[in-house]
Amino acid sequence: MTALSAAKRPAIQETAGRYAVTLLGIRKEFGSAVAVEDLDLDVRPGEFLTLLGPSGCGKTTTLNMIAGFLTPDAGQIMLDGQDVHHLPPDRRDTAMVFQQYALFPHLTVGRNVGYGLQMRKRPKPEIRKRVAEALERVGLAGKEDRLPGQLSGGQQQRVALARAIVVQPKVLLFDEPLSNLDLKLREQLRLEIKHLQRELGITSIFVTHDQTEALVMSDRIAVMRGGRIDQLDTPEMIYREPANAFVAGFIGQSNLISGVCTEAGSDRCTIELSTSNTVHARHPGTVTAGDSVRVLLRPEALRLGSDGAPSTLTGAVIEIINEGNIATVVVQVSTDVRLRVAVSDPGALRLPTLGDVIPVSIPPGAARALPTGG
Ligand SMILES: Nc1ncnc2c1ncn2[C@@H]1O[C@H](COP(=O)(O)OP(=O)(O)O)[C@@H](O)[C@H]1O
Ligand SMILES: [Mg+2]
């Protein structure tokens, strides 16, 4: 462990006890590759926090350091205000649910779930009772005597979940637990895990590369890239007020158009788009005149037609994807700018026809300018 800079030390004492999990200046290298870099994170008691990012951005490494499976090269990890660097995984009061279930194949469901309690030398009747309760909570009441191989993937993951909650850990850690399951089951288990977590009130850190999963389940999302956190905020804020073009592109559907800032106030600016249109945009406070930016236009914020809006882009309709309750109209504005416009209730509105040249308007407040570098 590298010593922390003196400047950072007071912050540890201040946060001690207030957060369920605190990471401060965490770094982890594998050979010459930096997997996690200068990472700070506070998780509130009872919170469901998701680490979201593309493959290889350092999510699993971060989770494994919290669990104690990996030791950070620098920085500090506190659980419930206590520095845990000297504690092995089994003394950290965390429990992990893995993508691959990681059940003992030769042990019954009951023995798998009760394993942690047996390690903690709890009396047999107590183990039996708590295992039964945990299995009931995950919808597997009475399945004690099955072997994991006799269960479906979804059921096996429920067993893994029961095994994690039965020890009543202070922190539940999830590493892409739904990624091996098919979509329907994934959608169902998302909600079940979320409900269970809310009921039990256990602080949870959930790792996924699936933005929908993150948006649906989380109290807050930390969007990671290259071993760092780009933005930590509520799902709504991450969606509405992304800090940069990477976050905007990673979460939700987005149109991102290049432009240059010609004028900037503290949170509003004027952008000359690559299409030569001028738009007024909000910005995260980090854009100044002369900057190259990407302008975010969410498909549902755009309107077909000119609609009297101050900025209008015109182009030919090249694709219409009608899903019944929502349709996406794709308009080619210039060689490199293509806009996706979401139309809700397309039945009530006459959709254009392929090849039509139509205006797309940008209502006031719809555009957000984002720094390209960050
Ligand atoms: N045991 C390891 N040895 C070498 N490199 C590793 C090891 N574990 C992870 N890495 C590298 O560290 C980076 C982060 O990996 P990981 O935390 O697994 O990412 P994620 O879970 O976000 O996909 C990747 O570049 C990965 O290749
Ligand atoms: Mg991973």
Side-chain angles (χ1 to χ4, degrees):
M1 298 277 285
T2 309
L4 282 161
S5 68
K8 275 194 168 169
R9 243 180 237 125
I12 306 170
Q13 265 105 52
E14 276 168 33
T15 58
R18 278 200 291 141
Y19 293 106
V21 181
T22 298
L23 305 189
L24 209 62
I26 294 294
R27 182 181 179 86
K28 183 69 189 176
E29 295 172 16
F30 295 105
S32 60
V34 182
V36 173
E37 196 169 7
D38 200 23
L39 191 121
D40 296 334
L41 179 67
D42 285 318
V43 188
R44 298 166 187 150
E47 183 172 34
F48 195 109
L49 184 134
T50 295
L51 303 178
L52 172 70
S55 175
C57 73
K59 304 181 296 294
T60 295
T61 304
T62 303
L63 211 59
N64 284 340
M65 287 190 282
I66 297 169
F69 301 137
L70 285 173
T71 307
D73 295 323
Q76 194 163 11
I77 298 177
M78 325 249 292
L79 296 180
D80 225 2
Q82 301 240 302
D83 188 326
V84 294
H85 80 270
H86 59 288
L87 293 179
D90 60 348
R91 295 195 45 215
R92 288 198 179 189
D93 238 348
T94 61
M96 177 102 84
V97 181
F98 301 90
Q99 181 175 342
Q100 315 281 0
Y101 322 139
L103 302 174
F104 296 115
H106 57 287
L107 294 186
T108 61
V109 165
R111 296 282 300 279
N112 266 286
V113 175
Y115 190 79
L117 296 173
Q118 207 185 323
M119 289 294 103
R120 287 167 171 79
K121 308 221 162 21
R122 305 309 307 165
K124 276 213 175 97
E126 179 191 328
I127 296 179
R128 215 174 299 124
K129 182 163 168 282
R130 285 172 67 176
V131 165
E133 280 168 7
L135 283 174
E136 183 164 356
R137 281 207 182 272
V138 300
L140 291 178
K143 298 267 194 287
E144 278 89 341
D145 296 332
R146 303 285 181 91
L147 285 172
Q150 297 172 312
L151 302 177
S152 69
Q155 287 175 322
Q156 289 187 53
Q157 197 55 301
R158 286 192 169 94
V159 174
L161 187 59
R163 179 182 57 183
I165 62 172
V166 80
V167 296
Q168 298 170 340
K170 284 210 183 91
V171 184
L172 269 176
L173 304 170
F174 296 90
D175 194 356
E176 312 234 10
L178 306 180
S179 299
N180 276 10
L181 307 172
D182 64 38
L183 179 65
K184 213 165 158 205
L185 197 53
R186 218 154 64 217
E187 287 175 344
Q188 187 185 337
L189 272 174
R190 265 178 209 159
L191 296 180
E192 285 184 23
I193 291 178
K194 178 69 201 159
H195 290 156
L196 188 63
Q197 187 270 343
R198 211 180 276 154
E199 243 170 66
L200 299 174
I202 305 179
T203 308
S204 298
I205 304 179
F206 190 97
V207 159
T208 184
H209 64 273
D210 182 327
Q211 48 138 329
T212 313
E213 216 162 273
L215 288 170
V216 168
M217 300 182 81
S218 318
D219 294 318
R220 286 191 303 160
I221 300 173
V223 181
M224 288 184 69
R225 167 168 59 151
R228 296 166 177 269
I229 293 176
D230 263 24
Q231 187 170 6
L232 172 60
D233 221 322
T234 59
E236 192 195 350
M237 287 298 285
I238 297 261
Y239 186 82
R240 282 198 309 133
E241 315 265 293
N244 57 42
F246 171 77
V247 174
F250 200 75
I251 310 263
Q253 295 277 348
S254 54
N255 298 293
L256 286 162
I257 305 180
S258 301
V260 175
C261 174
T262 53
E263 209 186 313
S266 61
D267 62 351
R268 304 276 151 158
C269 60
T270 306
I271 308 292
E272 176 99 10
L273 295 177
S274 64
T275 54
S276 303
N277 300 72
T278 301
V279 290
H280 297 288
R282 296 171 294 124
H283 73 89
T286 48
V287 171
T288 55
D291 285 358
S292 291
V293 297
R294 304 270 278 163
V295 172
L296 168 67
L297 300 164
R298 294 287 188 197
E300 70 276 12
L302 296 172
R303 299 281 171 266
L304 295 180
S306 49
D307 216 14
S311 304
T312 310
L313 305 179
T314 302
V317 175
I318 57 164
E319 199 172 358
I320 298 171
I321 307 149
N322 194 343
E323 294 177 51
N325 60 338
I326 188 165
T328 302
V329 176
V330 186
V331 178
Q332 189 86 44
V333 175
S334 67
T335 37
D336 53 359
V337 175
R338 198 174 268 192
L339 287 179
R340 297 171 67 87
V341 183
V343 179
S344 54
D345 197 9
L349 187 87
R350 207 172 63 82
L351 288 174
T353 320
L354 283 182
D356 282 358
V357 174
I358 58 165
V360 175
S361 56
I362 306 173
R368 183 170 172 84
L370 298 167
T372 44

